[in-house]
Amino acid sequence: MKFADEAIINVKAGDGGNGCVSFRRERFIPRGGPDGGDGGKGGDVILQVDAQLTTLLDLTYPKQFRAQKGTHGKGKKQTGRNGEDLIIRVPVGTLVREGQSGELLQDLLVDGQRFIAAAGGRGGRGNARFATSTLRAPRHAEKGDQGQERNLRLELKLLADVGIIGYPNVGKSTLLSRISSARPKIADYPFTTLTPNLGVVIREDHKPFVVADIPGLIGGASKGAGLGLTFLRHVERTRLLLHLLNISEGPSRNPVKDFQTINQELEASPSSLQGKIQLVALSKIDLPSVRERAKGIEHQFAKMGYRLYLISSQTGEGLEALIEAVYRVLESIPDQGDGQQGNS
Ligand SMILES: Nc1nc2c(ncn2[C@@H]2O[C@H](COP(=O)(O)OP(=O)(O)OP(=O)(O)O)[C@@H](O)[C@H]2O)c(=O)[nH]1
Ligand SMILES: [Mg+2]
């Protein structure tokens, strides 16, 4: 499966132009000195953050990015032209990793931020530069340096404040569609959501916050079951997780066990989700079978130290109380990016 939030690209900066070997040839000046110019510098390949972008989709094809070469130096001390830089636009939250080792090279967070992905080669010096009092007619010039080339893995981490997590089909996307203007696909089967959806929650007297609806998780996800944990990196930077539970499938569903299973997967993930604050909500409270069991489940969670929010994305019940709780948590913890950037 191909995800637009990851792209493997090859970047090659421009080679520097060669220096030139040349001598002045003019009438009446029999032994003109060396006048070979320097080669131009090769263009850099630069990644630049563009806040308008939300995906890396544009980079999945083409995969190769080449900046222009510098041109060679010429006689009469003419310096070669510098190659033009190639600018690749990427969304906010792009992580740049070395293609093979996966080593993190840069974390692109701010609109306009730039990272030189491959540095252009230096232009070679022309022979005019090598003239000395003892060597008046140097017959050599430098070749331009080669432009840097490397493979990079780009990953997009969405910068959401809140991540909605839970089993497939519990109503995560429906909740997002209810509290924000996002319109994710909703359907009565598991794994409807294949890539994260984002929405902004706007309420009077509050700073808007961004919610990410993450594809459903299942037991074994850390070992690749279902869609795996690929998308958890999107919630690494969230300040809070909203853990959604659903028991509408009937009494076979044990919400405490579901809650623990997902949390074990989070523990097993390489990302830094352990210990993130979670709000826990039981969805589809409009269904009589759900409401019947809600009280007992509330008690079970209270014993574990969690307040259980009872919500229905269909009727809207409990949603404002949940959003208020989210605001309270967000106001009590530092902004995204602070102290979390190193954990990628
Ligand atoms: N009765 C009722 N049904 C709901 C409610 N919320 C969601 N549903 C239904 O539950 C089903 C699954 O909803 P989704 O929002 O697609 O669930 P999801 O958690 O995003 O699922 P995945 O994307 O597969 O992980 C849909 O048929 C929804 O209409 C609710 O509050 N009440
Ligand atoms: Mg969904």
Side-chain angles (χ1 to χ4, degrees):
M1 208 180 298
K2 206 161 107 194
F3 301 115
D5 48 12
E6 193 169 281
I8 292 170
I9 61 171
N10 172 271
V11 288
K12 166 91 173 72
D15 297 336
N18 296 335
C20 167
V21 176
S22 161
F23 295 93
R24 254 174 96 189
R25 301 242 178 274
E26 281 176 55
R27 287 175 75 184
F28 312 118
I29 308 176
R31 290 186 186 199
D35 72 350
D38 301 341
K41 179 188 163 294
D44 297 332
V45 179
I46 297 172
L47 299 179
Q48 181 172 329
V49 179
D50 181 342
Q52 304 288 316
L53 297 179
T54 55
T55 120
L56 290 168
L57 191 64
D58 296 344
L59 300 183
T60 51
Y61 189 89
K63 290 180 181 302
Q64 295 197 324
F65 297 86
R66 304 220 164 322
Q68 215 176 29
K69 293 180 179 176
T71 62
H72 302 319
K74 289 190 197 154
K76 298 183 185 164
K77 292 194 180 166
Q78 292 179 75
T79 303
R81 217 172 337 100
N82 292 341
E84 257 179 61
D85 294 338
L86 177 71
I87 295 183
I88 304 174
R89 294 183 190 281
V90 296
V92 177
T94 300
L95 294 183
V96 187
R97 292 182 186 280
E98 208 284 315
Q100 275 84 35
S101 68
E103 181 202 346
L104 183 67
L105 302 175
Q106 184 68 266
D107 202 352
L108 294 166
L109 287 172
V110 188
D111 191 23
Q113 190 181 346
R114 285 178 154 213
F115 171 67
I116 298 186
R122 200 177 52 94
R125 287 177 295 175
N127 71 336
R129 301 271 203 153
F130 296 101
T132 62
S133 55
T134 50
L135 182 66
R136 301 238 173 129
R139 298 194 167 273
H140 72 281
E142 285 174 338
K143 279 201 178 302
D145 289 343
Q146 289 208 330
Q148 206 182 4
E149 174 169 13
R150 55 183 171 177
N151 292 318
L152 297 175
R153 191 164 88 227
L154 306 180
E155 287 174 11
L156 178 59
K157 277 199 194 186
L158 305 174
L159 296 180
D161 302 294
V162 178
I164 309 178
I165 58 166
Y167 269 85
N169 225 17
V170 299
K172 300 179 296 298
S173 303
T174 313
L175 175 61
L176 179 75
S177 74
R178 205 38 214 248
I179 61 179
S180 77
S181 58
R183 290 292 166 261
K185 184 171 169 195
I186 291 165
D188 192 16
Y189 55 81
F191 300 118
T192 307
T193 303
L194 295 175
T195 55
N197 300 300
L198 282 188
V200 184
V201 177
I202 299 167
R203 292 290 183 278
E204 237 174 80
D205 302 329
H206 285 290
K207 203 172 139 214
F209 63 87
V210 179
V211 180
D213 155 35
I214 302 297
L217 299 169
I218 57 174
S222 58
K223 295 189 181 65
L227 294 177
L229 297 180
T230 324
F231 297 105
L232 283 182
R233 65 169 177 264
H234 296 295
V235 285
E236 257 183 60
R237 281 187 176 144
T238 61
R239 291 187 278 161
L240 142 78
L241 296 176
L242 188 54
H243 197 145
L244 205 54
L245 301 166
N246 170 35
I247 53 164
S248 67
E249 287 163 25
S252 62
R253 214 73 222 186
N254 177 344
V256 172
K257 195 164 152 280
D258 287 351
F259 180 70
Q260 287 165 344
T261 302
I262 298 285
N263 281 333
Q264 276 159 16
E265 297 302 329
L266 298 189
E267 291 285 335
S269 88
S271 50
S272 54
L273 293 166
Q274 299 82 358
K276 216 175 257 289
I277 297 179
Q278 290 192 12
L279 292 183
V280 191
L282 183 66
S283 73
K284 313 191 189 182
I285 192 72
D286 55 286
L287 299 173
S289 66
V290 174
R291 190 176 302 275
E292 227 168 75
R293 292 175 63 196
K295 264 263 154 328
I297 296 167
E298 244 183 307
H299 275 301
Q300 287 178 294
F301 275 88
K303 271 194 259 165
M304 299 192 297
Y306 289 98
R307 165 162 178 199
L308 185 69
Y309 291 85
L310 307 179
I311 63 165
S312 166
S313 300
Q314 200 161 84
T315 63
E317 182 178 342
L319 293 185
E320 292 311 310
L322 179 62
I323 289 172
E324 273 305 317
V326 170
Y327 278 121
R328 278 199 301 277
V329 177
L330 290 181
E331 278 156 21
S332 71
I333 45 184
D335 214 338
Q336 64 193 11
D338 298 359
Q340 286 188 31
Q341 290 176 19
N343 297 333
S344 27

